[in-house]
Amino acid sequence: MTGRGEGHGKLILCGEHAVVYGHPAIAIAVDRTTRVTLSRRDGATEVRSPHVDDRVRDALCTVVPEQGFAVEVETDLPVRRGMGSSAALAVAVVRARADLAGETIAADEVVHRAMPIERSFHGSPSGVDVAVSAHGGCLWFKRGDPAVHRSLPSPALPIVVLDSGEDRETARMVQRVAERRADHAPALDAIGALVERASACLDDPETLGPLLLENHALLRSIGVSTGRLDAMVSLAMEHGAHGAKLAGAGGGGVVMALIEDPESLLAAARARNIHAFTCSVWHAG
Ligand code: PMV
């Protein structure tokens, strides 16, 4: 008997950090996944994963009993880069557990069960990663109890992801913003307002692109960008992107670019030894 589950990665189109303080964010689920296979075995539960560490083990053990299971994890998501790999793992293991029990669960229930796992990774996450991983598509999200989300039309163009090769640092970046919250309040408010503007033009790359750039500048102003991320945003703009920004908590991680014809940017990234790839939006069902 085996149970299988899958969780999708994500990119935050706009609104990271501000979403922690109750502003909305827009995120898309991407066509890269983490897959979990659960089966029975004698003895202690064993985890096989390309990125297994104590945090992964502890997180999985919030759902899988400490005895009697083999947990196999596979992923094609870059890990610790702001693409929601921990949320994808949480969603995948919840779905695998339900599958093993012969249970069918709705996306909202997946979110409910996956959030404790995501908390074991990130302390007090807004929940946007888990919500978009479970629901798919393009989601407007506002944290709360319960969180509020609604589906939006997906951005029309291909997205290129440029990987800085450096881990993004969620806890440290969230803490850094929190320490100067009063100073950063105008930028966080501006990000919140920008999200509302973006939600009205997701199918219009010429209007959306500049909003992504504006979002990046606001994130830089609150201290979560790096020289490398700024340089990758510039590279994307030089190669025809409508807009680009860091995606996720920052301090490292990835840049996403909205671009009509990705080839020239992909070649430029390759020439600079930057790992880059295209992504499209994943829709459930
Ligand atoms: O880089 P990630 O996937 O951990 O994104 C974090 C997004 C933040 O807004 C910075 C934190 C959160 O909990 O929403």
Side-chain angles (χ1 to χ4, degrees), residues 59-276:
L60 291 172
C61 284
T62 62
V63 178
V64 184
E66 283 179 29
Q67 295 288 323
F69 287 88
V71 188
E72 179 95 44
V73 182
E74 296 168 294
T75 189
D76 52 19
L77 278 165
V79 171
R80 291 187 284 270
R81 295 292 199 271
M83 288 193 69
S85 62
S86 61
L89 175 65
V91 165
V93 72
V94 163
R95 288 201 168 125
R97 186 82 169 103
D99 186 41
L100 194 65
E103 212 186 343
T104 305
I105 45 173
D108 280 329
E109 181 60 20
V110 173
V111 172
H112 178 68
R113 296 185 194 180
M115 275 307 286
I117 310 177
E118 179 71 341
R119 282 191 202 101
S120 77
F121 279 111
H122 294 306
S124 177
S126 64
V128 60
D129 293 19
V130 167
V132 76
S133 177
H135 287 277
C138 180
L139 226 59
W140 181 98
F141 175 94
K142 200 167 183 175
R143 95 179 289 177
D145 195 13
V148 188
H149 62 81
R150 61 185 157 87
S151 291
L152 294 171
S154 298
L157 285 180
I159 288 164
V160 168
V161 173
L162 302 156
D163 186 344
S164 68
E166 294 164 349
D167 288 355
R168 65 88 180 84
E169 303 182 64
T170 307
R172 198 162 77 83
M173 293 297 125
V174 169
Q175 176 67 22
R176 176 184 285 193
V177 175
E179 277 162 10
R180 296 187 50 204
R181 185 179 169 181
D183 297 340
H184 293 327
L188 295 169
D189 290 349
I191 292 173
L194 182 150
V195 168
E196 297 301 12
R197 283 152 66 208
S199 70
C201 63
L202 293 167
D203 54 356
D204 172 10
E206 289 185 13
T207 312
L208 181 61
L211 290 180
L212 298 191
L213 265 186
E214 199 178 317
N215 194 165
H216 182 77
L218 287 163
L219 289 168
R220 198 177 56 221
S221 79
I222 62 170
V224 300
S225 191
T226 65
R228 197 162 164 77
L229 293 170
D230 293 344
M232 294 196 307
V233 167
S234 301
L235 185 72
M237 298 311 294
E238 282 158 22
H239 288 271
H242 286 284
K245 64 179 275 289
L246 75 86
V254 297
V255 157
M256 57 171 292
L258 206 59
I259 189 159
E260 208 101 28
D261 176 7
E263 284 318 312
S264 136
L265 176 56
L266 291 172
R270 260 196 310 275
R272 289 162 179 77
N273 285 323
I274 298 169
H275 178 52

